[in-house]
Amino acid sequence: MKTTFNWGIIGPGKIAKQFAADLQYIPEARLHAVASRESSRAKSFAEAFEAPFHFGDYQSILECPDLDAIYVATPHVGHFDNTINCLEAHIPVLCEKPLAMNYRQVELLIDTARRTNTFLMEALWTRFLPSTQLLLELIRRGEIGELMGAKADFGFRADLPPEDRIFNKALGGGALLDIGIYPVFLSLLLFGKAGEIKAMAKMGSTGVDEDTHVLLRYPGGQLAQLHSSFLADTKREAFIYGETGTIHMQAEWYQQTQLSIFRGNSTPETHTIEPKGLGYHYEAQEVMNCLAKGKIESDQLSHAFSTALILSLDDIRREIGLIYPEDE
């Protein structure tokens, strides 16, 4: 029986480094191969994490022996091509969010995963963190009664040049797809897909949104207020409102965080979770668990969920007039 799970990485950037570092918390997992468009970058990354293979292009890693899954961590616009190439090669994929640039691309990826019977999951690491699991358990137990609404933000002042990835339209830049996806994810997790969306944004000189506000109404009557920004350091908190109380996900709510329950004038009830690494190993473990069971998707972050998420992002982009080349 195989005792080692070999991960590959396409796109050895900052988030890939965090992912690779967190593999240490899974005893049977190791980094096996790294692919970059720059051979020297792939080599130095592989050496840093003791990976035996490195490649100076994205295609060669598909031929790497003994590879169990690939984590795609390229810029947003590369997700579709990188992921579909892996799926066609029957290599399971954990792809960074957003899974692709629009619904059409996501639909093609999911169709390919099903046709090739190959695992595919969007890397929304927040979904698998203990704090998120606790949130869902508290709601399930009725700790705040029937859900009424939510508010979540994610903003930081990005003092970066216009050509940086986050402002570069050709690379899928913009606050919504880069960080606004987290508040949208949370609202989708809690209430399902919204029935009505209103959004406004401040567009920057490069043609992408730099500050976006979203108001969502759900079929059950709940409302969600979401905010993402590259212009201001927001509190980066989330509040989930119920009939009998409020759950406060403290900063940084999308990472491993504390949760407090407020009920009237009583003393808040705080739940503390001891952080373990940065938390990327939880999504990696989910992929490994699913593959061990022969699945091609996760029950916790299914293909249907990723479809609903990209449809929501597409709807918001239509509201704010944000069009990428991939849409045309």
Side-chain angles (χ1 to χ4, degrees):
M1 181 181 295
K2 186 173 181 180
T3 58
T4 301
F5 191 99
N6 292 325
W7 279 96
I9 287 178
I10 294 179
K14 179 181 178 182
I15 198 167
K17 185 176 292 185
Q18 295 169 336
F19 178 87
D22 271 359
L23 288 180
Q24 67 179 299
Y25 296 103
I26 308 175
E28 64 272 30
R30 70 165 184 171
L31 184 60
H32 185 65
V34 183
S36 173
R37 288 176 297 185
E38 300 176 20
S39 183
S40 60
R41 193 176 181 193
K43 183 175 185 292
S44 62
F45 194 101
E47 289 175 346
F49 293 98
E50 300 180 346
F53 296 94
H54 57 87
F55 304 93
D57 64 89
Y58 294 153
Q59 197 66 28
S60 297
I61 194 173
L62 305 181
E63 304 297 327
C64 183
D66 301 320
L67 199 58
D68 293 306
I70 284 180
Y71 172 57
V72 173
T74 50
H76 299 161
V77 293
H79 292 178
F80 176 77
D81 287 341
N82 297 144
T83 298
I84 207 162
N85 288 338
C86 291
L87 295 174
E88 292 288 5
H90 297 273
I91 300 173
V93 182
L94 173 65
C95 177
E96 258 309 317
K97 52 80 188 164
L99 187 56
M101 290 299 295
N102 53 42
Y103 168 71
R104 179 182 60 83
Q105 288 189 340
V106 168
E107 184 181 37
L108 284 170
L109 290 179
I110 292 172
D111 287 348
T112 303
R114 291 173 178 168
R115 174 173 55 80
T116 60
N117 196 37
T118 304
F119 182 87
L120 170 66
M121 190 179 89
E122 189 169 9
L124 260 163
W125 65 307
T126 305
R127 175 63 180 89
F128 304 99
L129 296 178
S131 47
T132 302
Q133 306 286 29
L134 175 58
L135 169 69
L136 296 176
E137 175 62 18
L138 293 172
I139 292 171
R140 187 193 67 78
R141 294 199 321 237
E143 294 289 342
I144 60 170
E146 183 180 349
L147 294 186
M148 306 301 291
K151 181 170 68 173
D153 71 274
F154 189 164
F156 63 93
R157 184 165 179 80
D159 293 317
L160 296 166
E163 60 270 18
D164 188 87
R165 176 193 64 81
I166 68 170
F167 295 120
N168 191 331
K169 194 172 190 178
L171 294 179
L176 176 65
L177 293 192
D178 202 69
I179 55 177
I181 189 172
Y182 287 101
V184 176
F185 149 78
L186 181 62
S187 65
L188 180 62
L189 182 66
L190 295 173
F191 307 118
K193 193 172 184 306
E196 185 179 359
I197 294 176
K198 299 294 181 184
M200 297 182 69
K202 176 177 173 55
M203 308 301 285
S205 60
T206 62
V208 301
D209 65 306
E210 296 182 353
D211 192 278
T212 298
H213 291 258
V214 182
L215 181 62
L216 306 172
R217 186 196 303 274
Y218 298 89
Q222 305 94 340
L223 295 174
Q225 302 173 60
L226 315 177
H227 179 212
S228 56
S229 180
F230 287 152
L231 301 180
D233 291 311
T234 68
K235 287 191 173 182
R236 298 188 284 276
E237 298 173 317
F239 296 87
I240 296 86
Y241 306 111
E243 277 190 315
T244 60
T246 295
I247 296 175
H248 174 207
M249 299 185 76
Q250 299 177 22
E252 319 281 335
W253 71 263
Y254 43 86
Q255 298 184 17
Q256 299 173 93
T257 188
Q258 291 186 337
L259 278 69
S260 296
I261 303 176
F262 294 83
R263 300 184 185 91
N265 295 322
S266 62
T267 302
E269 173 188 312
T270 299
H271 297 259
T272 301
I273 297 172
E274 189 67 32
K276 187 177 181 181
L278 289 170
Y280 289 92
H281 55 288
Y282 294 110
E283 63 179 358
Q285 186 69 69
E286 173 68 7
V287 174
M288 294 165 62
N289 292 345
C290 288
L291 289 174
K293 297 174 183 176
K295 295 182 176 183
I296 67 166
E297 64 179 307
S298 164
D299 294 333
Q300 295 187 66
L301 213 163
S302 66
H303 294 167
F305 188 94
S306 288
T307 297
L309 180 59
I310 196 65
L311 284 170
S312 300
L313 294 170
D314 284 357
D315 287 344
I316 294 168
R317 289 203 292 116
R318 272 190 288 272
E319 278 280 307
I320 64 177
L322 177 55
I323 301 172
Y324 292 105
E326 289 76 15
D327 300 323
E328 298 172 353

